[in-house]
Amino acid sequence: MRIDEAINLFEIYLLSERGLANNTISSYLSDLKQLHDYLTKKKIRDIQDLDTPFLRGYLKFLRNKLHASPTSMSRKVST
């Protein structure tokens, strides 16, 4: 499945099933957009191409390049 399709399905799930606050949904979708942008730069389009070493590299990027706080990184992992 393509990453953008999965994000769209997740958004539908959040809106219809979870009953979360709009700000929470916006934060989740913002996190996913940031991940999607990173994946696009790395030329990764499909979920099956993601693996643990890649995701660890993404977290390292967030910490070292974007100076994401531990709280932000924790939310991104949850998302």
Side-chain angles (χ1 to χ4, degrees):
M1 175 182 287
R2 289 177 38 153
I3 302 285
D4 55 346
E5 294 170 342
I7 291 172
N8 288 337
L9 290 173
F10 186 63
E11 181 178 7
I12 291 167
Y13 165 73
L14 291 175
L15 293 169
S16 63
E17 302 284 329
R18 291 293 307 270
L20 300 172
N22 288 338
N23 286 344
T24 301
I25 292 172
S26 292
S27 294
Y28 285 172
L29 295 177
S30 175
D31 291 342
L32 290 174
K33 181 185 179 333
Q34 187 177 41
L35 175 60
H36 185 266
D37 292 346
Y38 182 81
L39 294 172
T40 299
K41 289 178 185 171
K42 299 292 184 179
K43 297 182 175 30
I44 295 177
R45 294 186 182 117
D46 293 319
I47 286 183
Q48 52 267 31
D49 294 333
L50 296 176
D51 58 14
T52 301
F54 176 84
L55 294 172
R56 284 186 181 139
Y58 177 63
L59 292 174
K60 185 176 178 181
F61 165 78
L62 292 173
R63 184 180 63 239
N64 295 338
K65 300 291 183 183
L66 301 182
H67 307 289
S69 71
T71 302
S72 292
M73 289 181 60
S74 178
R75 188 190 68 229
K76 290 173 192 303
V77 168
S78 295
T79 301

